[in-house]
Amino acid sequence: MPAAEMGRLAPPDAGKRTITHGGDGGGSGLLMGPTKPVDFPKDIPLYPGSTVALGGRSTGTGKPSWSLTVTTADSKDQAIARYRELLSGFEKVTDLNMGDAMLSIWRSAAYDMTLMIGTAADGKTTVTLNVASK
């Protein structure tokens, strides 16, 4: 990272364990931590009973985007089936089954979303939502 950028990367907040990069005065920025971003879109469904592992928000493209990873004890196949129900108001663009993981792309009038569901080394299922404003 160039020296000019180093001053813009804040160390993790000891209480919240978040990392902030940029975002000074309306420019692009990135915020990541072990919680759901406060402004995560309410019309993007979260997996019921899941636990947040990592959340992030970015304004690098000039429009907000979010990333959220949650874990669940449900199987990968249960999570895939449940998300197909939860996203009934979205248009599914494609699915790619990769064995241990499934990647799908969805859209709505307001958002483009990539959904990744897979099995972690600890046996839990991870669900990652990458959401971009249109």
Side-chain angles (χ1 to χ4, degrees):
M1 177 179 295
E5 293 290 311
M6 289 296 285
R8 295 180 46 182
L9 181 62
D13 178 304
K16 297 182 182 178
R17 298 178 311 185
T18 59
I19 296 174
T20 305
H21 176 72
D24 53 334
S28 65
L30 171 69
L31 173 66
M32 294 196 76
T35 59
K36 180 179 85 165
V38 174
D39 65 342
F40 191 83
K42 292 180 182 9
D43 48 344
I44 302 294
L46 300 183
Y47 196 81
S50 63
T51 302
V52 174
L54 181 66
R57 182 181 192 283
S58 173
T59 55
T61 62
K63 295 181 181 179
S65 61
W66 303 265
S67 182
L68 186 65
T69 299
V70 299
T71 60
T72 179
D74 290 352
S75 72
K76 177 190 85 155
D77 292 337
Q78 287 173 307
I80 291 169
R82 184 70 173 132
Y83 256 104
R84 287 189 175 131
E85 294 171 11
L86 292 169
L87 295 171
S88 63
F90 288 70
E91 172 193 357
K92 182 173 68 170
V93 177
T94 190
D95 273 341
L96 176 59
N97 189 337
M98 300 176 286
D100 288 344
M102 189 273 306
L103 173 75
S104 60
I105 299 172
W106 299 79
R107 14 177 116 115
S108 71
Y111 305 104
D112 289 325
M113 183 178 72
T114 302
L115 171 67
M116 178 88 141
I117 300 175
T119 306
D122 64 2
K124 291 184 181 176
T125 298
T126 60
V127 176
T128 300
L129 303 155
N130 292 309
V131 182
S133 294
K134 287 188 175 180

